Amino acid sequence: MDIKTTTSRQTNVNVSAKAKVGFALWSSSVRVDVSHNRKFGKEVQGTNRLFTRLAPVPPPERIAPILTVVDNRPDGGA
């Protein structure tokens, strides 16, 4: 049996900055967007192999017919 497990990660980062200036005052802002993705995968494969060996055996006694031989010929006859 083969089992294959995969994991992948992805990270996205977006950064933006703004600045404002006016009358001896200034302001700034920084925006950061971060996203994380993890993906898991599993794949399973299996194969079987069966070996058999056939050997002849006599049939059980309860299945084998019972034979009774009746010889009605006279002694010494052909």
Side-chain angles (χ1 to χ4, degrees), residues 17-61:
K18 289 185 180 179
K20 292 183 181 180
V21 178
F23 300 112
L25 298 173
W26 64 275
S27 67
S28 65
S29 65
V30 176
R31 179 178 176 177
V32 178
D33 293 326
V34 179
S35 65
H36 298 283
N37 291 325
R38 287 181 83 181
K39 295 180 182 178
F40 299 96
K42 185 175 282 190
E43 182 178 332
V44 178
Q45 293 181 350
T47 58
N48 291 328
R49 185 178 286 183
L50 178 64
F51 291 100
T52 59
R53 183 173 52 158
L54 302 176
V57 294
E61 291 182 15

Side-chain angles (χ1 to χ4, degrees), residues 62-77:
R62 64 178 180 216
I63 295 178
I66 299 173
L67 299 177
T68 305
V69 178
V70 178
D71 189 2
N72 290 330
R73 293 180 291 174
D75 291 339

